[in-house]
Amino acid sequence: MTYEKNDDLALDCLLLAGQIMMESGAETYRVEDTMLRMARSQNLDAQSYVTPTGIILSLGEQQKTKIISISNRITDLHKIAKVNNISRKLTLKIITLEEAYDQLRMVQKTNYFLPIWLQILMSAVSSACFLILFRGVWSDMPAAFLAGGAGYLALLAIQHVSKVKFFSEFFASFIVALVAFFAVRFGFGYELDKIIISGVMPLVPGILITNAVRDLMAGHLTAGIAKGTEAFLTAFAIGSGVAVVVVFH
């Protein structure tokens, strides 16, 4: 009975680690490597199959196999670092399997994101900084600041109402372009294109594109293609939102 309970705990612990990492935007090969290292530390011959939408984990032919679905995916590098740290401590025998599982559950429950107002502020500040990187004029910084903040606010608002990622990104980029257009129209900005490009930069799926390429290079073709497709849809949504304003202005 104890042997079965240990196996169940190991399965739950490994799956929880993989789930947190996948939901936080980790690369597929990193998730598999972390889970297998944790399994080897417990003398378990585990096999895993990880995709962006689910994880299959088995402890062997004669042992149990469990499947978990991944429905939500965000970018939270702090949680990934936390899981990696727990994995290292378990591998080095600093903590037990039970302690690792408890710590993972705490990481899963904790929200490490900054307050909403600070996220919006940082999005606005980064947009203004991107304007200078794109060789825009300094007088356009207030317009880029406002467009970036308004776009990210729209993104969070639509995400709260709808779980369809395409719509939130489309309306966010639409708001960015709309704010930029009115800023130029009323004389608060001069270069419409650079204001729009700077404003949508916080929406660009840079980490998603990077992970797709890294998964493809690591041989995880299914995950790489899936993430690449998701990144393409995000880019298409951003471009569509901007195009609506640019075409009809």
Side-chain angles (χ1 to χ4, degrees):
M1 181 65 69
T2 303
Y3 180 78
E4 292 182 356
K5 288 183 177 179
N6 287 339
D7 282 350
D8 288 339
L9 179 61
L11 271 172
D12 292 339
C13 183
L14 298 178
L15 279 173
L16 182 57
Q19 179 185 4
I20 294 173
M21 294 184 73
M22 285 305 300
E23 289 180 343
S24 302
E27 307 95 318
T28 303
Y29 75 88
R30 186 187 300 273
V31 176
E32 285 193 349
D33 181 68
T34 299
M35 294 171 64
L36 295 180
R37 286 179 183 271
M38 293 174 69
R40 285 195 294 268
S41 72
Q42 303 301 308
N43 299 317
L44 297 172
D45 183 22
Q47 296 291 327
S48 65
Y49 179 70
V50 181
T51 71
T53 56
I55 301 174
I56 302 174
L57 180 65
S58 174
L59 298 184
E61 293 182 1
Q62 305 299 324
Q63 304 299 329
K64 294 181 178 180
T65 298
K66 283 191 175 182
I67 303 173
I68 191 167
S69 176
I70 307 296
S71 55
N72 298 317
R73 290 180 298 279
I74 57 175
T75 300
D76 193 341
L77 301 182
H78 190 65
K79 278 192 175 184
I80 297 174
K82 284 279 190 181
V83 175
N84 283 334
N85 186 43
I86 294 171
S87 171
R88 292 189 188 98
K89 290 192 292 185
L90 180 64
T91 303
L92 296 174
K93 308 295 184 182
I94 298 175
I95 59 176
T96 64
L97 186 64
E98 291 81 1
E99 291 172 336
Y101 184 63
D102 290 338
Q103 291 182 23
L104 287 171
R105 291 182 64 186
M106 183 62 65
V107 171
Q108 186 185 39
K109 294 178 182 178
T110 306
N111 181 13
Y112 296 102
F113 277 107
L114 296 172
I116 298 297
W117 67 269
L118 190 55
Q119 293 181 43
I120 297 172
L121 177 61
M122 290 300 100
S123 177
V125 171
S126 65
S127 296
C129 294
F130 275 119
L131 179 78
I132 303 304
L133 289 177
F134 295 141
R135 299 182 181 274
V137 294
W138 287 84
S139 57
D140 283 346
M141 285 188 69
F145 180 91
L146 184 60
Y152 199 78
L153 175 61
L155 177 74
L156 296 177
I158 300 299
Q159 282 180 344
H160 184 71
V161 176
S162 173
K163 292 184 178 180
V164 181
K165 196 176 178 184
F166 180 90
F167 292 132
S168 60
E169 291 155 350
F170 173 84
F171 282 109
S173 61
F174 175 81
I175 293 298
V176 169
L178 200 63
V179 170
F181 168 73
F182 281 114
V184 173
R185 181 72 176 270
F186 292 104
F188 295 105
Y190 298 96
E191 298 179 328
L192 178 63
D193 55 343
K194 292 180 180 178
I195 296 174
I196 292 177
I197 294 171
S198 303
V200 300
M201 283 303 294
L203 310 176
V204 174
I207 293 180
L208 192 61
I209 296 172
T210 303
N211 288 350
V213 174
R214 295 185 68 177
D215 278 335
L216 287 171
M217 294 178 65
H220 293 269
L221 302 181
T222 301
I225 293 173
K227 290 181 179 180
T229 303
E230 185 177 356
F232 170 78
L233 290 175
T234 298
F236 179 74
I238 295 173
S240 299
V242 172
V244 171
V245 175
V246 172
V247 169
F248 292 101
H249 84 278

